[in-house]
């Protein structure tokens, strides 16, 4: 008859520990080698990950530094552009102010010149009007005098024509003064 192996109540080893013991017997050195290789691979992986992390951190820092440098350059350019724009705006404001002042002065001078010109024209017109009125009065007086003389002396027509031509000539040239 065959004997069946039944666990003893006194046998304290569990099936898991027996399985581990059997593995040790069967796989023994190969398992140790595999565990060592796995440990070495884990350490190698950790080392490479650490190197990769350091390299990534270094590259990130370089990129951040380059980015900050470029941002600083752009800020400087913007600041210079702003200063240039402010300078041009101030220059335009000053020019506008100067032009406005010059325009006001020119308008005032022009108004004064126009007023003076109007006064001079009015004065000259009055003087000419008075002069022509005076000359007209004198011509009429001479004509009346000549007419009276003609009526009283009864001179001929040729003498009268010469006299009227002289009066007309005097009126044109203003020689009667």
């Amino acid at each position: 008859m065959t004997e069946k192996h039944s666990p003893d109540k006194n046998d304290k080893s569990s099936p898991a520990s027996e399985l581990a013991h059997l593995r040790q017997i069967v796989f023994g050195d190969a398992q140790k080698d595999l565990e060592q290789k796995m440990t070495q691979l884990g350490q190698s992986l950790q080392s490479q990950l650490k190197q990769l992390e350091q390299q990534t951190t270094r590259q990130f820092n370089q990129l951040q530094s380059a980015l900050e440098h470029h941002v600083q350059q752009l800020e400087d350019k913007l600041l210079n552009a702003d200063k240039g724009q402010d300078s041009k705006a101030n220059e335009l404001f000053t020019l506008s102010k100067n032009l406005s002042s010059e325009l006001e002065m020119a308008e005032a001078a022009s108004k004064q010149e126009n007023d003076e010109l109007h006064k001079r024209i009015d004065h000259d017109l009055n003087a000419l009007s008075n002069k022509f009125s005076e000359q007209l009065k004198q011509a009429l007086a001479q004509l009346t005098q000549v007419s009276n003389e003609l009526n009283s002396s009864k001179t001929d027509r040729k003498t009268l024509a010469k006299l009227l031509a002289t009066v007309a000539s005097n009126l044109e040239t203003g020689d009667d003064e």
Side-chain angles (χ1 to χ4, degrees):
M1 218 163 128
T2 60
E3 271 183 38
K4 287 188 179 179
H5 188 44
S6 64
D8 249 346
K9 289 184 181 179
N10 292 341
D11 190 7
K12 295 195 177 186
S13 64
S14 67
S17 67
E18 284 180 14
L19 187 61
H21 186 61
L22 273 174
R23 276 189 202 151
Q24 179 64 29
I25 293 172
V26 175
F27 295 109
D29 290 334
Q31 185 178 1
K32 278 185 185 178
D33 286 341
L34 283 175
E35 285 176 357
Q36 279 181 341
K37 284 182 182 180
M38 283 178 35
T39 303
Q40 288 174 350
L41 280 174
Q43 290 174 349
S44 175
L45 183 60
Q46 286 292 337
S47 172
Q48 288 177 355
L49 282 175
K50 191 171 186 178
Q51 286 176 354
L52 185 61
E53 182 182 346
Q54 289 172 351
Q55 183 180 5
T56 304
T57 303
R58 199 175 18 209
Q59 287 176 342
F60 177 76
N61 289 338
Q62 288 173 350
L63 284 173
Q64 186 175 10
S65 174
L67 183 62
E68 287 173 358
H69 177 71
H70 288 298
V71 166
Q72 185 62 40
Q73 284 180 339
L74 288 174
E75 286 177 353
D76 291 344
K77 286 180 182 178
L78 283 174
L79 184 63
N80 287 337
D82 284 346
K83 285 180 183 177
Q85 241 180 359
D86 289 344
S87 172
K88 292 292 182 187
N90 288 337
E91 186 178 326
L92 286 174
F93 179 73
T94 303
L95 286 174
S96 173
K97 219 172 160 185
N98 291 343
L99 285 175
S100 178
S101 297
E102 288 178 17
L103 183 61
E104 288 176 7
M105 289 178 5
E107 284 177 352
S110 175
K111 186 174 189 254
Q112 185 178 2
E113 287 175 1
N114 284 340
D115 290 346
E116 289 175 7
L117 186 61
H118 282 287
K119 285 180 185 176
R120 201 174 336 146
I121 289 173
D122 288 343
H123 176 69
D124 289 347
L125 279 175
N126 287 335
L128 283 174
S129 179
N130 290 337
K131 185 176 180 180
F132 285 129
S133 294
E134 186 64 34
Q135 284 180 354
L136 180 62
K137 283 180 187 178
Q138 287 175 1
L140 286 175
Q142 280 182 353
L143 189 59
T144 305
Q145 180 186 358
V146 169
S147 176
N148 287 338
E149 283 178 10
L150 284 176
N151 282 338
S152 63
S153 66
K154 297 202 180 195
T155 56
D156 65 356
R157 288 184 177 181
K158 285 185 181 181
T159 308
L160 179 61
K162 284 182 186 178
L163 188 58
L164 286 175
T166 305
V167 169
S169 170
N170 286 344
L171 282 175
E172 284 182 5
T173 59
D175 290 340
D176 61 320
E177 293 178 20

